[in-house]
Amino acid sequence: DTVEVIEYGAFSYCRNLQCVKTGKGLRNIENSAFNHCESLTDISLQDQLTTIGFEAFSNCRALKNINLPISLEKIDRWAFQFSGVENISLPSHVNTIGEDAFFGCFNLKEFICSEGLETLDLKSFSDCRKLKKIVLGEETKMIVPPVYSDYFDLAQDFEWDMVRVDEIVVPDTNPYLKNVDDVIYTKDGKTLVYYLTTKSERSFVVPKGVTTIGSLAFSGNYALKSVQLSSTVKTIRNRAFCGCKNLTSIAISDSVQIIPSGCFQYCSNLTRVNLPSSIKRIETYAFQKHLKVMTVGGKNTVFESMSVDKSTTILCSKEARAARYKAKINTRGRHIVHHLDGGVNNASNVYYFT
């Protein structure tokens, strides 16, 4: 009972360790304390424990169940990565979960948030292949959709860190969020926060009243082929549709003014898009990969550098201009034959209309 800290790597790689009972004085389990204890099946944690450190139980593949004490406040990043845990219920005082805390927990089926956890980063559950259900806490204010790796071509390697959960339960008493047909909105219905990647519908119409599509809101859904934004949508956040590889049609309302960075990046089947005249700016990497034809209705649309690929044909007004490069363009009729490495001039074919 006198031990307050289990030091860094104290039992790391003790591959035959099967059972651990901690004393009542233990407050911190430090980084990598039980890392690669591959035979560990049972650990008893007492009510004074406040912190589970970085990689503390990483690669404890035989650890199926763990009862977390009521005193626990913080689970650090990668704390349980590649462990065998099947169900996690966070005690009420847990307010911090580190990045990728449960990465690669292939047997994790259900995760119940604590009452005090205000932000849930779904990237904590990357590659949890059996995850069926997440229950949010009454005070959960925000869900952060996972940001997928930029180190690979996501058109081919999007699966490795994918988060696919069948159900996210939002308590009726939660004053910040709500779930409507497996789509998470803010309680007032004005922001679409997260469209579950496991939804199987082929088309979706954003309800009237929604004004904002959140960052990464639709990212990684493979079923969607068509999305229509309602007339009330004014703002789309970064990478909202990134990696929707089967999306073929997007109807953008004329109240939207900016296509943000990475918005339709790696939408491999979105080959043609018509943008309304309200669009004032198309940001970096907005349509990176696969877009063949873009029609831009606005006369003063600004194209940021690398907003489209060189293979894209752009149909736009004469007033459309590159934002970051002063183009020195030689024209032959209405066909651009010389281009710089950015904005409109990053496309191999730009046709102007009046």
Side-chain angles (χ1 to χ4, degrees), residues 64-327:
K64 303 296 183 184
N65 299 290
I66 184 168
N67 291 321
L68 301 175
I70 191 67
S71 55
L72 189 65
E73 297 175 0
K74 179 181 179 180
I75 298 174
D76 211 339
R77 59 195 182 104
W78 301 347
F80 290 93
Q81 71 165 346
F82 298 120
S83 71
V85 292
E86 295 180 351
N87 298 283
I88 291 288
S89 181
L90 296 184
S92 58
H93 295 295
V94 174
N95 53 44
T96 302
I97 300 177
E99 180 182 357
D100 289 328
F102 299 92
F103 178 88
C105 291
F106 299 144
N107 295 316
L108 183 62
K109 299 180 180 68
E110 182 174 274
F111 185 90
I112 301 176
C113 294
S114 61
E115 294 178 5
L117 188 68
E118 294 187 356
T119 300
L120 180 65
D121 188 343
L122 292 181
K123 198 173 188 296
S124 299
F125 309 101
S126 295
D127 214 17
C128 292
R129 300 175 185 178
K130 295 182 180 179
L131 186 60
K132 299 294 183 183
K133 185 177 183 180
I134 293 176
V135 181
L136 302 186
E138 291 186 356
E139 296 300 317
T140 304
K141 296 180 180 180
M142 183 183 303
I143 293 178
V144 181
V147 178
Y148 300 108
S149 173
D150 283 326
Y151 296 107
F152 300 96
D153 181 350
L154 299 188
Q156 298 179 5
D157 299 295
F158 210 59
E159 291 282 359
W160 78 276
D161 60 355
M162 179 61 68
V163 175
R164 294 198 176 280
V165 57
D166 291 341
E167 181 183 10
I168 296 180
V169 177
V170 182
D172 291 338
T173 51
N174 184 304
Y176 307 105
L177 300 170
K178 64 181 180 180
N179 184 325
V180 180
D181 298 327
D182 290 327
V183 183
I184 309 299
Y185 301 88
T186 52
K187 198 74 170 184
D188 59 10
K190 292 184 178 181
T191 299
L192 192 156
V193 178
Y194 187 56
Y195 184 97
L196 267 65
T197 56
T198 51
K199 281 180 66 65
S200 59
E201 288 81 358
R202 301 296 184 187
S203 62
F204 181 73
V205 178
V206 175
K208 288 186 176 180
V210 173
T211 61
T212 301
I213 306 297
S215 296
L216 293 148
F218 290 87
S219 181
N221 183 285
Y222 292 166
L224 276 174
K225 292 187 174 182
S226 172
V227 174
Q228 180 178 340
L229 304 187
S230 66
S231 59
T232 58
V233 174
K234 296 180 179 180
T235 303
I236 305 174
R237 301 296 185 193
N238 291 353
R239 303 181 77 178
F241 297 89
C242 177
C244 292
K245 66 179 185 181
N246 289 312
L247 186 68
T248 60
S249 173
I250 178 73
I252 299 175
S253 61
D254 57 11
S255 55
V256 175
Q257 296 185 1
I258 297 172
I259 305 296
S261 177
C263 188
F264 298 99
Q265 193 175 25
Y266 303 109
C267 293
S268 53
N269 282 292
L270 186 64
T271 59
R272 190 179 190 102
V273 66
N274 296 322
L275 299 181
S277 58
S278 60
I279 300 298
K280 294 183 178 180
R281 187 168 76 249
I282 302 173
E283 295 185 345
T284 304
Y285 302 128
F287 291 95
Q288 189 188 31
K289 303 289 184 183
H290 311 296
L291 188 67
K292 293 180 179 179
V293 180
M294 173 193 291
T295 301
V296 183
K299 291 186 177 182
N300 295 298
T301 302
V302 171
F303 290 74
E304 290 193 356
S305 64
M306 306 301 294
S307 55
V308 295
D309 291 329
K310 290 184 178 180
S311 59
T312 303
T313 295
I314 299 177
L315 307 175
C316 63
S317 67
K318 289 183 179 180
E319 289 84 357
R321 62 190 186 276
R324 297 183 179 176
Y325 296 86
K326 292 183 179 179

